[in-house]
Amino acid sequence: MFAGAARHSLYARSAVHRAAPRVFVAARRPMATYDAFYQRFLKSNVSYVTFVVTGAIFFELIYGQATEKLWDVMNEGKLTHQVDWSKFRDEEDEEEEEEDEDED
């Protein structure tokens, strides 16, 4: 009884092993891009660290510019570099500036 089950199990395993390489080869084709990426950037420690640091710098530059632009658009006219300061000038300010020029 056990010998028949063992033989059946052995036969089933060998049938699976014969079919497995075909599935593996078919499944490996989409991985070609990943394999090339791995060989180029992730294989050695130096290239991996360089890839991570360079990626972080580029991400920070792009993210920083995008958030800065979003902040400027959301706060249009409220930021100090967008305000027309000549509208807020008092006569006292002009007199103080003239006195400072006379002292120099």
Side-chain angles (χ1 to χ4, degrees):
M1 176 174 173
F2 291 114
R7 226 179 330 186
H8 178 68
S9 175
L10 183 61
Y11 176 74
R13 286 187 200 155
S14 65
V16 170
H17 287 299
R18 278 186 242 133
R22 291 184 191 147
V23 173
F24 181 71
V25 172
R28 185 165 165 79
R29 288 183 186 154
M31 298 289 287
T33 305
Y34 177 75
D35 288 339
F37 177 77
Y38 176 81
Q39 291 294 330
R40 181 73 176 149
F41 296 111
L42 305 177
K43 189 160 185 164
S44 72
N45 192 35
V46 172
S47 64
Y48 178 74
V49 169
T50 304
F51 174 74
V52 168
V53 170
T54 306
I57 290 170
F58 280 122
F59 179 78
E60 175 61 30
L61 289 173
I62 292 169
Y63 185 77
Q65 289 176 357
T67 54
E68 189 72 27
K69 183 65 176 171
L70 180 66
W71 182 263
D72 287 342
V73 168
M74 296 295 286
N75 294 303
E76 186 75 34
K78 300 175 187 175
L79 303 173
T80 56
H81 65 274
Q82 297 170 341
V83 174
D84 183 17
W85 292 105
S86 64
K87 295 179 183 177
F88 301 104
R89 196 156 224 189
D90 289 338
E91 290 181 19
E92 290 180 13
D93 291 338
E94 292 175 6
E95 290 175 4
E96 289 176 8
E97 287 178 7
E98 289 175 4
E99 289 176 6
D100 289 340
E101 290 175 3
D102 292 339
E103 290 176 4
D104 290 333

